[in-house]
Amino acid sequence: MQRLILVLFIATELCYYLLIAQTGIVEYFSSNIFVIAPLPIGGIIGSFLIPYLKIENKNKISILLVIQLIMSFIYPNFNFITLFILGLTVGALAPLIINEIKKADFIQLGLALCISYVTGTMMFNYDVELRDIIAIILTIITLISSRFLPNKELERDYSESFSLYAMVLWIFLDSALFESLSRDITISIWRDGYSLEIALFHIVGVVAALTLKLEKNQKELFIIILFALSYLFYFLREGFILSLIYPFVISYYNVIILQTIIKKDFKTISIYMIFIGWIASGAGLFVALENLILFVPVILLITLLKIMSNQFIPNNKEVNYV
């Protein structure tokens, strides 16, 4: 029973981040980067400071969720201070949530991600001004669940570990495309009737990440190729194909990231979340708002060539001369 509660705990807080912090607030304030700046600033500070708060993690989570609940009653009528407080809260919760994922096996992690992706997809078109009830319900579920979480972390036995640079790059590529796509009036896969396809391929992506046996370099190459295809079909305005490939790669790389991060200690997780959760996604938002997405394929091409050179060109030390 505790494992199912853990699944619900992870899924509902991820949904809160997607529907409220990531899309609801940004859209409500018309993507004005200066107005919403207190949110990411608070997020960075919250992620950095939370390891130094000398109380049990379970109590940290409860306190932060109570604050999040109060902020949910205010939504969406935030000002500079309340946006900063929400950012501080969500930012501090992020490494705590990741730390709790250490208690979940891969099936439970996959289930939590599937629930959050499907729920987020199906509610994506819900009016942002009316999401206060969603914020309140999600936070109450997460708060109640947080009091019944298992105590023991599971032992992990896998060696793959991806660099922070690679993970930041994936988040940046995702954020730039997501923020551009959600604002593009000529193609919006969430508003063009592809919700079922998106939800299905989120699930397929999670399952693939947990079951496909690929080498580290092969996974990196696979993710970059999928992102390249996502950008290609975005530029070609092929909404249906994009609704299959893009959610797949989102789910796939997020599982890979979580599998890497949960092996770290709590302070390292907090630092990683600053770069992954705020800096990379903020850079992607900036690219979308400034209409710089046409330059992103250059980054994709350079990364693709580098991965392929590492994959297929032998190291000089490994070449045998006859």
Side-chain angles (χ1 to χ4, degrees):
M1 185 63 180
Q2 280 187 317
R3 298 296 172 184
L4 291 177
I5 292 175
L6 178 60
V7 168
L8 190 62
F9 170 79
I10 297 168
T12 50
E13 186 60 22
L14 290 177
C15 280
Y16 185 95
Y17 179 80
L18 173 63
L19 293 171
I20 306 303
Q22 184 180 5
T23 58
I25 291 174
V26 173
E27 189 172 339
Y28 180 77
F29 288 104
S30 303
S31 302
N32 188 323
I33 198 166
F34 296 103
V35 174
I36 63 177
L39 182 70
I41 292 172
I44 291 172
I45 295 173
S47 293
F48 179 77
L49 292 180
I50 193 61
Y52 301 97
L53 185 60
K54 300 302 180 182
I55 60 175
E56 291 184 8
N57 282 354
K58 189 174 184 178
N59 292 330
K60 291 180 186 179
I61 292 171
S62 296
I63 293 170
L64 290 168
L65 285 173
V66 169
I67 298 173
Q68 181 176 293
L69 182 59
I70 295 171
M71 293 298 103
S72 298
F73 280 102
I74 297 174
Y75 178 92
N77 302 305
F78 293 108
N79 56 30
F80 182 93
I81 295 175
T82 50
L83 269 177
F84 177 80
I85 292 173
L86 180 64
L88 199 71
T89 304
V90 176
L93 275 169
L96 288 166
I97 300 297
I98 301 297
N99 202 55
E100 290 300 311
I101 293 177
K102 293 180 178 181
K103 302 173 183 177
D105 61 30
F106 289 151
I107 294 177
Q108 292 154 2
L109 171 60
L111 181 58
L113 288 174
C114 288
I115 292 173
S116 63
Y117 286 137
V118 171
T119 304
T121 298
M122 294 305 175
M123 304 194 75
F124 185 86
N125 293 326
Y126 200 88
D127 190 337
V128 294
E129 295 185 16
L130 303 177
R131 291 186 187 179
D132 52 338
I133 186 64
I134 296 175
I136 293 168
I137 292 173
L138 288 175
T139 304
I140 289 175
I141 294 173
T142 311
L143 179 58
I144 294 173
S145 301
S146 70
R147 305 310 300 173
F148 303 98
L149 297 174
N151 296 316
K152 187 178 179 180
E153 295 181 5
L154 299 182
E155 294 184 5
R156 309 281 174 180
D157 185 23
Y158 52 89
S159 57
E160 286 181 344
S161 184
F162 292 83
S163 67
L164 178 59
Y165 168 78
M167 294 186 289
V168 166
L169 176 63
W170 300 339
I171 295 288
F172 167 75
L173 293 172
D174 182 9
S175 179
L177 182 54
F178 176 83
E179 300 294 350
S180 298
L181 186 58
S182 61
R183 289 165 177 76
D184 197 323
I185 60 174
T186 63
I187 175 174
S188 176
I189 57 177
W190 295 279
R191 297 183 177 94
D192 290 345
Y194 298 122
S195 293
L196 289 177
E197 290 86 351
I198 294 170
L200 175 61
F201 276 83
H202 270 308
I203 296 172
V204 174
V206 170
V207 173
L210 294 173
T211 57
L212 286 180
K213 303 299 181 183
L214 299 176
E215 298 295 329
K216 178 182 175 182
N217 282 350
Q218 292 174 331
K219 288 182 179 179
E220 290 182 336
L221 181 61
F222 187 44
I223 290 170
I224 293 301
I225 289 174
L226 288 173
F227 268 122
L229 290 172
S230 297
Y231 274 86
L232 173 63
F233 288 115
Y234 169 67
F235 292 133
L236 292 176
R237 297 298 188 264
E238 292 289 345
F240 174 71
I241 301 176
L242 183 61
S243 70
L244 309 182
I245 296 175
Y246 183 42
F248 179 94
V249 68
I250 292 174
S251 300
Y252 187 91
Y253 88 76
N254 270 306
V255 171
I256 304 300
I257 285 179
L258 288 173
Q259 288 177 330
T260 296
I261 294 180
I262 59 176
K263 295 186 294 183
K264 311 296 182 181
D265 63 83
F266 186 55
K267 286 187 178 180
T268 303
I269 291 174
S270 299
I271 298 300
Y272 272 45
M273 291 311 299
I274 291 174
F275 287 95
I276 294 173
W278 299 103
I279 295 177
S281 59
L285 175 61
F286 177 79
V287 165
L289 295 181
E290 297 300 319
N291 296 314
L292 299 174
I293 194 168
L294 288 174
F295 295 96
V296 176
V298 177
I299 300 174
L300 271 167
L301 179 60
I302 294 172
T303 305
L304 184 60
L305 291 174
K306 180 174 177 55
I307 294 174
M308 291 182 68
S309 67
N310 292 337
Q311 181 80 10
F312 299 112
I313 299 178
N315 187 290
N316 290 334
K317 295 180 180 180
E318 297 176 353
V319 176
N320 294 320
Y321 296 97
V322 179

